[in-house]
Each structure stands twice: as structure tokens, then as C-alpha cells.
Amino acid sequence: LRLVRVEVGQRSETVRRANLSAIIRGLHDAGPMSRSQIVAATGLTRTAIGGLVGELVAAGLVQEAPAVRQGTPGRPSPVVRIVRDGAVVLAIEMLVDSLSVASVGLDGRVIVQERVTRARDERSVEAVVAHIASMAAEVRARTPAPIVGVGVAVAGVVRRRDGLVAMAPNLGWVDEPFGERLAAVLALNVPVTVANDADLGALAEHLRGAGVGVDDLIYVSGEVGVGGGAIVGGRPLDGLAGYGGEIGHLPVNPGGSPCRCGSIGCWETEVGEGALLSLAGLSPDAGRRGIDLVLREAQAGNQVAVAALEHVGRWLAVGLAALVNILNPQLIVLGSMHGRIYPASRHTVEAGLSARALPAPRAVVRIVPATLGADAPLIGAAELALEPILVDPAGFMARPAPVQRLASAS
Amino acid sequence: LRLVRVEVGQRSETVRRANLSAIIRGLHDAGPMSRSQIVAATGLTRTAIGGLVGELVAAGLVQEAPAVRQGTPGRPSPVVRIVRDGAVVLAIEMLVDSLSVASVGLDGRVIVQERVTRARDERSVEAVVAHIASMAAEVRARTPAPIVGVGVAVAGVVRRRDGLVAMAPNLGWVDEPFGERLAAVLALNVPVTVANDADLGALAEHLRGAGVGVDDLIYVSGEVGVGGGAIVGGRPLDGLAGYGGEIGHLPVNPGGSPCRCGSIGCWETEVGEGALLSLAGLSPDAGRRGIDLVLREAQAGNQVAVAALEHVGRWLAVGLAALVNILNPQLIVLGSMHGRIYPASRHTVEAGLSARALPAPRAVVRIVPATLGADAPLIGAAELALEPILVDPAGFMARPAPVQRLASAS
């Protein structure tokens, strides 16, 4: 059970709210538990747990089912589980090549999802927002619950406070008030929270993927740009304004090529999709199919493809060494392109990391491919939208219901 | 008042302990406060604060003084302050060129301090430990209180759990059980905690120096090696095992020079003391006097010295850009050599950072020199030793007193 933390000096109402939060977050993160397990995990009394669970049941956020007798002495303990429809959020993922909208329940599972391929030249924020709104209407029409929050993953540098996209070089956006426009067009009267796609991918792999139970991890994803995120001491590395974790723009090669961000020799110029494809003699825009072709060619012994993969593996190791020396993580999770090519580049990456990183933090870190696949940022976006409910379920239970237009698949 | 965080589900004893901790940490961090201020900051009742402060007074950790009437209505509120001698720790700083031992009170202030210049060729751990022990005996003889904990700052990569120095390239140490040997020779029967010097410098600048009130900061120090530390969301960036924050070994120039750590082109090969001195035509071992000479020569218009400072400033900016893009800090604190040369290299560093870092995190970060000077790691070491008392003063109050030999200045 992942216990939340509360400020000390709390009055009894504060303690009650924090305990409600601890219970619902535990059920959300770890799945159904018996009342006895909750008692054991929280240190609260049976009576207190009974009362708190009762409140959550009355609010429709959790439900109890009679337990199957386990053969152990004593009364069987009822099993408590999240009600998926108790709080449904909209998760939106806006990447360079694709757009996805899903409704996600309080248990973090997808209810309805739409994913479409996106034209890279659709760059107008208005067009993107309109596209998202029409997909959202479809998803809402097929979702049997009102939407209580919206989380958005976008491939850019995002100011968390208001969803301003300060820069998205691969979308051509600078200082676009994406969050505000999206909230206005969706008109759902619920909070809309925007964050960087890779930061949310890291959160998703930490909560639901390769990094469950690991409190210090680095997540590297690579679609067109190279993104990443980190979990430090169990918390996302957001930094002061939400700009943290922009690992694609680690300056790894000051004598290298210009980067779209305006600097020189950023990590993504050496290990991005475009770098691999160009080195393999393909168009830098050949996308996922191009990557698959490079992998097949390398396996067939094509030395140009092999050398391209080695180049990317070597430079991947340089950037990973920087992150290992700074963050001392337990796990490196490789997502998207880097997860797919890892079987082919594994030896180069492991050896390069050993040569470049300090031996002590190197010895304690493992590299694994991501397990959530392309949906990681979307799942992280849902967690972002669910977070206020998990932090303060009592406040959520007491809120007036948002006024929303009826959804229609327009 | 910096409130500590406690797990929810706590019984009343847990709440009491957490509240005692919140009060003593607030007084430790921010200085004396009136009872009314403590009431306002914690949200507890006057009666509860009265009882908790009474416990701390009875244990000799804090004292109360009658308040001066402020001209405001109501009874004047007594002023509560830390008793310096209520808990005294030994702080030890083991750098390449110097060794310092101090006794530090519960208020974080130095009581007695010794600092000596160290011969760089004194590399045997036994000799270093014996040297520290004799300085510690002198400091203890002049300190009118028993020692309740020991904190140690060392210029190396340290495993926090047991004080193993995994690597200290500038001391020539690999996998030395420094913490255990020191504890055995000091024979104080109190915990001995060892950490990296720059990590502790970061903690000290955060609590007592240029970064007070700033929860996201980077600290760069440079004695012989380049060290650094970071505070992320108000907490030190230790990583999984305490190896975090090794920014001196950021790989910034993969085509550069071999580093003592075994890698190539680490940040310290470009911005360390040795790099600056060599570029300026001096011996790389000329130390602080050499740096002062370079600064004087540059001011007098010596173009070799100017170019050396520019080189270091340019490369400092490259590494800072990496840290800014990853950590999105509010403040960069430049300590030791980098603080001293900053007035001369400021323009190069600021311009370089603007060219290399992403505009969004760049716009929110400021660069300042450290304010604690050479003592920063020592002050951080004291905070490390005081931490268990600040986290659980009730446990400290209930402990049996350690059995210690009488100190004599041998």
C-alpha cells in the first residue's frame, strides 16, 4: 500500500482526508485488497478502516464484495476494490505522429480509446485542438460516465501550471497556450492538466509498467525527438516549473550537429530516430517502418545498418552515463524506438555505459525495455488527471458535479 | 517553519513524535520563534504547543524566554529557541587539500573548529583516520558537551548506508571502508554518517547559505575535482545508494581528455582547477594561489589567462545546460573555485548557458556565488549528523547516553 504523506500538525479532519487518500491510492496502485490487508498496511484500527471504507462506498468510489473463506481462523474479510466508473477521466496524447484520446476509470484502466495517425504538417494549434475535441466527443459518447478531469501528454516542453507549451521543436510550437485553448474547446468544466509526454511515460512505467516498485528510475523514449523522464525517490522529477527531465537535450557532443532546440550536439541529434535512419541510408522521416527495416537489414548482416545501430548504441550510453552519474537510478527503462532496438544494441549500450559511468552507480543500475508500449504517455496522462482525486477523495466527494454538455459523436 | 512529513495512519504517539520533530526542525532551520508563531505555523492548538515545547524544554533541547511585549493586544508570547549544547555533533571534512573537524551545536552553529592543510600524498586511509582522530580529540577537549553523532564529508563517491568510499580518484581510494574505520578509531559509540562533500555543500547552501528557501537548486563546487549536488523538491538528490549528484563526471566532451575516473571528457577535465591552471600556463597543482594568480593576470590583460577563464566558462555552461535541462532548478550556486572566478567568467557562463539550455528552464534559473565559503561541506556534515535528532527528537530524548571515553587533547 503506497501511503500518502500529510503535513503534521493536522486536525482530525485533515487526518481523515489523508486516510481516505491512503486507502484509495493503495487500491488504485495495487488493486483489490481485503479489509484486513488495509488494516495491516495502514496501522489503523478495524473500526476506523470500516468507517473510511464505508464513506468511499457511499460515494461510489469503491465497492466491497464478500470474501471467500481462506481456511484461516476468524471471520473472512470483505474484499475492497475500486469502482472503475466512480471517477472517469479523459486522457489525451498528442505526439508528432499520432493522436490518441481515451476515457480511463478510477482504476487506471482504459474504458474507450481512439488512436489515429497524425500528419506531421498539421501544426496549427487550432487544428490540433479541434481534432482532439472531435475525438473526445466520440470517446465520451461511448463512455457511460461523466468526465471529471482531463490529462494531456504532449511532445514538448510544458509549463505545468497552465499547460503552456513553451517549446515543441518537432511540432513547431513556441509559447502556445495549448492547455487553455484545449480547456476552452472541450468545455467540460473540469481541470485540464498538461505535461510532457515522456515525463508521463516515466510515471506510467513507474506505476503500471517495467518500473513498478522502483522509486529511482530513468525512462528514455524516442519517437521523433528523444524524450525522457525520471522518478526520483518515488516522485516525478518535475523541477521548478515542470520543465525537468528534458534529457533529449543533454549536450553530449558539443562538436556535433545543430539541434532543433537551437543548441548543438544534443543527445537527440545522435540517438534520435532521424539520426538512426540517416546513418542507415534511409530518409530521416521513414518513421517506425524505417526502424523495422534497419533492424531486419542488420540482422541480415548489412554492415551499414549494423554500424548505424552501433552509433546510436554508443551515444545512448554516453547520455545514460550522464544520467546514471547524476541520478543514481536503480533502473533505466527504454521506451519506443530505444526499447525496440535494444535487443540489437544491447551489447554496445551495456559496454558503453560501463566505460563511461562511474563504477559505483553503474554497478547498481539495470537496463530494461518498457512494457507499456506506445500507450505509456496516455496512461500517464490519465494518472495525472486522476491525481487530485487520489490526493483528496473527500474533496472530490464533496464537489458539485460539473455542468457538461451531453456528449454526441459529432 | 519547515514541516516534516509523516505517514498517515499514525497512532497518537506517532503524531506526537512528528509534531516534536516539526517544532525542533523549524527552530533549527529558521531560528527562534514565539509560541504564537509556532501555533500559527503548525496549525496545532496553543495547549498542544505548550505541552510539546514543555517536553523539549525538559529534555534540554530548547529553552523559553519571556517575550518583550510587542504593543499588540493579548498576553506576550514566550520566545522559544534551540539550546546549542542540547545536542552536539562532530562534523568532519576530508578534502584533497585540507582536513577540518568541528563540534557543532543543535542550532547548526560551530562551537570549536580546527582546519589544517593536508599533504596530497597522505593517501593511506589509516593515516587519514589517525589524523582525524587526533584533531577530533582536541576539538572534543574544548567542547563542553558530549558528542551525540558524527557527520563526515569526503571528496569521493560514497555509499551512504555504511560510509564505503567506492571511489575517490583525487585521493586514490577505491572501495575503502572509510566510515567503518573512522567509527572504530573514534570509538564514540554514536552513529557515524559519511557523504560526498559536494552533496553536503549543496545541503548547507540550501539550509544556511545562498539557497535558503529555494527547493530546487544545483550546487557546483570545484576543489581539485569538480563536485556538485542538487536539491530537488526540497530534498537532497541522493539517488538509490547515495551516489547521486556526481556532476563532475558528466560526459560533456566525448572527444576530450581522459578523466581520473576512467572515462573520457568528463566535466571536470574541462572545468576543474587543473584544467584552468594548465590552460593558463601554470602547474595543474598550483592550487588556490594559482587560481588567484590567473585572476590577477586576467585583470591585468594577460590574454593567456583571459582565454583560460573563457575556456572554463564556456565548458561550465555546457555542463550547466545539461543540469538545467534535466533538473529545471531555480538557482545554480557556484562554490569554491567556480564561485571565486565567477565575477571574471560571468558573461561567458551566462551567454553560454543561454545558447545551450532550453529557453524555458533557462529563463527561470539564476546563477549566484555560494555564501558559505570553504566551510560549506563541514556545515552540511553537521546537518547530516543532526538529522536523526531533528527527525525524531522523542527517540533521541529517550536514548541511553552513549558511553564515551573522556576526551583529552592527546
Side-chain angles (χ1 to χ4, degrees):
Chain A
L1 193 68
R2 174 185 304 270
L3 292 178
V4 295
R5 290 160 175 279
V6 294
E7 303 295 322
V8 298
Q10 60 276 84
R11 301 176 189 285
S12 61
E13 172 60 14
T14 316
V15 172
R16 175 185 149 260
R17 285 177 173 240
N19 286 333
L20 287 170
S21 170
I23 292 170
I24 204 155
R25 189 184 288 275
L27 296 168
H28 172 81
D29 288 0
M33 279 189 278
S34 72
R35 273 209 206 179
S36 304
Q37 287 174 308
I38 299 175
V39 168
T42 57
L44 289 176
T45 62
R46 263 177 191 283
T47 313
I49 293 295
L52 293 164
V53 169
E55 281 192 64
L56 295 169
V57 169
L61 299 181
V62 310
Q63 61 190 25
E64 290 191 290
V68 181
R69 185 172 275 281
Q70 299 284 320
T72 47
R75 275 193 301 164
S77 179
V79 170
V80 187
R81 70 178 68 237
I82 293 278
V83 176
R84 179 169 300 175
D85 290 352
V88 175
V89 297
L90 216 53
I92 296 167
E93 185 193 275
M94 158 74 196
L95 304 185
V96 177
D97 284 333
S98 69
L99 196 54
S100 183
V101 177
S103 52
V104 178
L106 184 54
D107 59 354
R109 307 288 159 186
V110 168
I111 299 169
V112 175
Q113 180 176 2
E114 296 275 334
R115 181 180 287 280
V116 296
T117 303
R118 221 179 71 78
R120 286 194 186 180
D121 55 4
E122 182 188 82
R123 297 190 148 206
S124 132
V125 177
E126 284 74 16
V128 168
V129 164
H131 196 163
I132 291 172
S134 98
M135 290 174 73
E138 285 209 39
V139 167
R140 282 180 61 211
R142 292 160 51 205
T143 301
I147 299 300
V148 300
V150 180
V152 187
V154 63
V157 180
V158 181
R159 186 164 69 194
R160 195 64 64 89
R161 172 162 57 81
D162 59 2
L164 178 95
V165 177
M167 179 164 69
N170 299 312
L171 300 170
W173 291 1
V174 175
D175 287 339
E176 290 287 355
F178 179 55
E180 287 176 6
R181 292 197 189 187
L182 193 57
V185 172
L186 288 174
L188 291 170
N189 288 312
V190 296
V192 175
T193 314
V194 187
N196 173 266
D197 61 330
D199 289 350
L200 293 177
L203 179 65
E205 289 287 343
H206 169 56
L207 290 175
R208 311 255 171 233
V212 167
V214 175
D215 277 350
D216 293 278
L217 68 82
I218 294 163
Y219 170 74
V220 181
S221 77
E223 204 207 18
V224 175
V226 172
I231 304 291
V232 170
R235 300 196 302 186
L237 179 64
D238 296 331
L240 177 68
Y243 301 141
E246 280 294 334
I247 64 177
H249 301 282
L250 268 173
V252 292
N253 188 8
S257 318
C259 179
R260 277 169 281 208
C261 78
S263 185
I264 292 168
C266 289
W267 204 18
E268 84 171 42
T269 65
E270 300 293 350
V271 304
E273 194 180 276
L276 177 62
L277 293 168
S278 301
L279 286 165
L282 301 176
S283 156
D285 296 322
R288 178 160 181 167
R289 283 183 195 179
I291 301 295
D292 291 341
L293 179 59
V294 175
L295 286 170
R296 282 198 306 275
E297 287 290 314
Q299 198 147 28
N302 177 333
Q303 287 308 303
V304 174
V306 168
L309 286 167
E310 275 181 9
H311 175 98
V312 168
R314 260 198 324 276
W315 284 99
L316 191 69
V318 173
L320 290 179
L323 295 170
V324 163
N325 288 352
I326 297 170
L327 300 174
N328 180 206
Q330 182 176 354
L331 199 65
I332 295 165
V333 179
L334 297 179
S336 56
M337 178 187 101
H338 292 288
R340 286 206 302 287
I341 69 174
Y342 186 60
S345 63
R346 177 178 197 138
H347 176 74
T348 310
V349 175
E350 293 276 0
L353 185 59
S354 296
R356 295 280 184 178
L358 292 170
R362 168 67 182 106
V364 297
V365 71
R366 285 183 308 120
I367 305 177
V368 297
T371 58
L372 295 178
D375 284 339
L378 188 80
I379 292 167
E383 296 293 338
L384 190 68
L386 289 169
E387 183 67 13
I389 303 164
L390 300 176
V391 165
D392 184 16
F396 176 73
M397 279 146 45
R399 88 202 185 289
V403 179
Q404 291 176 359
R405 288 178 291 111
L406 280 179
S408 62
S410 55
Chain B
L1 195 69
R2 176 186 301 270
L3 293 177
V4 296
R5 291 162 174 279
V6 295
E7 303 294 323
V8 298
Q10 61 276 81
R11 300 176 189 287
S12 61
E13 171 61 14
T14 316
V15 171
R16 175 184 149 263
R17 285 178 173 240
N19 285 333
L20 287 170
S21 171
I23 292 170
I24 204 154
R25 189 184 288 275
L27 296 169
H28 172 81
D29 287 0
M33 279 189 277
S34 72
R35 274 208 205 179
S36 304
Q37 287 175 308
I38 300 176
V39 168
T42 57
L44 289 176
T45 63
R46 261 175 193 283
T47 313
I49 293 294
L52 293 165
V53 169
E55 282 192 64
L56 294 170
V57 169
L61 299 181
V62 309
Q63 61 191 25
E64 288 191 290
V68 181
R69 186 172 275 279
Q70 298 284 318
T72 48
R75 277 192 301 165
S77 179
V79 170
V80 187
R81 70 177 67 237
I82 293 277
V83 175
R84 180 170 300 175
D85 290 352
V88 175
V89 297
L90 217 51
I92 297 167
E93 185 193 275
M94 158 76 196
L95 304 185
V96 178
D97 284 333
S98 69
L99 196 53
S100 182
V101 177
S103 53
V104 177
L106 185 53
D107 59 354
R109 306 289 159 185
V110 169
I111 299 170
V112 174
Q113 180 176 4
E114 297 274 335
R115 180 179 288 282
V116 297
T117 303
R118 222 179 70 78
R120 286 194 184 180
D121 55 3
E122 182 187 82
R123 297 191 149 206
S124 132
V125 177
E126 283 74 15
V128 168
V129 165
H131 196 163
I132 291 173
S134 97
M135 290 175 72
E138 285 208 40
V139 167
R140 282 179 62 211
R142 292 161 49 205
T143 301
I147 299 300
V148 300
V150 179
V152 188
V154 63
V157 179
V158 181
R159 187 164 68 195
R160 195 65 63 90
R161 174 162 57 80
D162 59 0
L164 179 95
V165 177
M167 179 164 69
N170 299 312
L171 300 170
W173 292 1
V174 175
D175 286 339
E176 291 286 356
F178 179 56
E180 287 176 6
R181 291 196 189 188
L182 192 58
V185 172
L186 288 174
L188 291 171
N189 288 312
V190 296
V192 174
T193 314
V194 187
N196 174 266
D197 61 332
D199 289 349
L200 292 177
L203 179 64
E205 290 287 344
H206 169 55
L207 290 175
R208 310 255 171 234
V212 167
V214 175
D215 277 350
D216 293 278
L217 68 82
I218 294 164
Y219 170 74
V220 181
S221 78
E223 206 208 16
V224 175
V226 172
I231 304 291
V232 170
R235 299 194 303 186
L237 179 64
D238 296 331
L240 177 67
Y243 302 141
E246 282 293 335
I247 63 176
H249 301 281
L250 269 174
V252 292
N253 188 8
S257 319
C259 179
R260 276 169 281 209
C261 78
S263 184
I264 292 167
C266 290
W267 204 16
E268 82 172 43
T269 66
E270 301 292 351
V271 303
E273 194 181 276
L276 177 62
L277 292 168
S278 301
L279 285 165
L282 302 177
S283 156
D285 295 322
R288 181 164 176 164
R289 282 183 195 180
I291 301 295
D292 290 342
L293 178 59
V294 175
L295 286 170
R296 280 199 306 274
E297 288 289 315
Q299 199 147 28
N302 177 332
Q303 286 309 302
V304 175
V306 168
L309 286 167
E310 275 182 9
H311 175 98
V312 167
R314 261 199 320 278
W315 284 99
L316 191 70
V318 173
L320 290 179
L323 296 170
V324 164
N325 288 352
I326 297 169
L327 299 174
N328 180 205
Q330 183 176 352
L331 199 66
I332 294 165
V333 179
L334 297 179
S336 56
M337 177 187 102
H338 291 289
R340 285 207 302 287
I341 69 174
Y342 185 59
S345 63
R346 178 178 196 138
H347 176 74
T348 310
V349 175
E350 293 276 0
L353 185 59
S354 295
R356 294 282 184 176
L358 292 171
R362 168 66 182 106
V364 297
V365 71
R366 284 183 309 121
I367 305 177
V368 296
T371 58
L372 296 179
D375 285 340
L378 188 80
I379 292 167
E383 296 294 338
L384 189 67
L386 289 169
E387 183 67 15
I389 303 164
L390 300 176
V391 165
D392 185 14
F396 175 72
M397 279 146 45
R399 87 202 185 289
V403 179
Q404 290 176 0
R405 286 180 292 111
L406 280 180
S408 61
S410 55

